[in-house]
Amino acid sequence: MKLLGKLALYAVALLLLAIAALDIWGYATLGTLQPASGEPRDASANRVVLVSGATGSVGDGLLKAAMEDPQVEKIYALSRRTSPRIEAGVESGQVELLLHEDFTDYSDLAGVLTEVNTVLWGLGTSSLNVDDETYTWIHVDFPVAFVGEWLSARTDAPMSFHYVTGMGTDAKGDSHWAREKGRAEIEVAEMAAGTGLRTFGYRSAFIKPASDRANIGHDLLAALLRPGRLVINSEDLGGAMLEISARTGELANGTLIDNADSIAYAKAYRAQ
């Protein structure tokens, strides 16, 4: 038993050292963007918001952020099913649920897409949950098909597409998931080039669930990762997206946003 106790202590110590090293790396390397002081904000840029993946832990927080923004007049939740937050939004009149099955075909949403200014794309899954082919289907085919249909419906600014791709995303990376999400970032940006649409890839680290869904485990992990700017609340991530949308002249189409960048824009969003 004493040996097991010592081994457990060693394991905890090694884990804490690894987290400390990660925090040092994050603090030293993350954060290449800063919100410009006094940048004009377009109050109409987020007038109509569509949230994808709103039943998941990330998308739920993005939806919560949109619901709490006074400049958002209408919200569409694109989903295969509902959730308590979607139901509350529908009941209050803030949210319209778009029940949808085929996420490679959005032709039936053409009328809706003519209205949409901002898309918060939180739809996704872990590479541990599916095979490579399914992963590509979800993380490349779904968003690329959506952006294609959206651009068929409208091309006039303000339009912005915010895709949560995750830290480690790299079109030339070693892992299949990293390459495919990187490929999706590139493809949607290329599709948007020359139109009124700007696309953004959010290479976030740990995204803590919305405050009313987080538990003590989430709180502990967040506390450990906060020194390295490696955690952001899902509501704050949504706020960062809405802030970047409103700053229509600041960031170019295809800009990649790391976790510290998101934290900076979330802070600017809360301050306005």
Side-chain angles (χ1 to χ4, degrees):
M1 291 298 291
K2 288 183 178 180
L3 179 59
L4 288 175
K6 287 183 178 180
L7 289 174
L9 286 174
Y10 288 146
V12 170
L14 287 172
L15 178 61
L16 291 175
L17 283 172
I19 292 173
L22 188 61
D23 278 333
I24 292 169
W25 171 84
Y27 187 83
T29 63
L30 296 180
T32 59
L33 304 172
Q34 279 294 326
S37 177
E39 180 71 16
R41 300 179 82 259
D42 184 343
S44 69
N46 297 310
R47 188 179 64 82
V48 180
V49 173
L50 183 146
V51 181
S52 173
T55 59
S57 64
V58 174
D60 174 75
L62 303 183
L63 177 61
K64 186 173 187 285
M67 290 171 66
E68 293 176 351
D69 189 312
Q71 293 184 336
V72 175
E73 297 177 9
K74 191 170 188 179
I75 303 168
Y76 291 107
L78 180 65
S79 180
R80 287 195 175 97
R81 60 186 187 277
T82 189
S83 71
R85 198 176 312 281
I86 292 174
E87 290 176 358
V90 170
E91 186 175 345
S92 70
Q94 287 182 285
V95 177
E96 182 175 335
L97 173 60
L98 303 174
L99 288 172
H100 196 73
E101 289 297 328
D102 186 353
F103 281 73
T104 60
D105 182 1
Y106 303 90
S107 55
D108 59 332
L109 300 179
V112 167
L113 296 181
T114 61
E115 305 173 35
V116 174
N117 302 106
T118 300
V119 174
L120 312 182
W121 195 271
L123 178 63
T125 188
S126 168
S127 61
L128 301 177
N129 295 335
V130 293
D131 58 32
D132 286 354
E133 183 178 358
T134 303
Y135 193 85
T136 295
W137 183 55
I138 294 170
H139 296 94
V140 180
D141 297 350
F142 286 9
V144 167
F146 178 89
V147 170
E149 190 64 41
W150 193 17
L151 288 171
S152 294
R154 65 173 290 178
T155 57
D156 53 312
M159 297 171 65
S160 58
F161 181 82
H162 304 266
Y163 185 16
V164 182
T165 51
M167 190 171 73
T169 295
D170 183 352
K172 297 180 179 179
D174 295 330
S175 302
H176 175 267
W177 77 263
R179 292 194 303 273
E180 291 300 86
K181 280 197 168 179
R183 179 161 72 91
E185 290 175 336
I186 292 168
E187 288 194 20
V188 296
E190 289 177 345
M191 294 167 73
T195 74
L197 173 64
R198 295 180 299 151
T199 68
F200 303 99
Y202 289 77
R203 297 184 171 185
S204 305
F206 172 50
I207 303 174
K208 184 182 173 184
S211 54
D212 53 357
R213 290 184 57 170
N215 58 41
I216 191 170
H218 298 129
D219 292 339
L220 177 59
L221 183 56
L224 290 171
L225 295 175
R226 192 165 288 114
R229 301 182 293 180
L230 293 166
V231 59
I232 188 167
N233 297 336
S234 55
E235 304 106 307
D236 281 343
L237 181 58
M241 293 174 173
L242 295 169
E243 182 67 18
I244 287 169
S245 290
R247 293 169 174 251
T248 54
E250 186 164 306
L251 298 182
N253 172 47
T255 299
L256 303 177
I257 299 162
D258 69 30
N259 204 75
D261 299 332
S262 292
I263 291 170
Y265 276 92
K267 183 178 179 181
Y269 177 76
R270 290 193 302 271
Q272 55 87 23

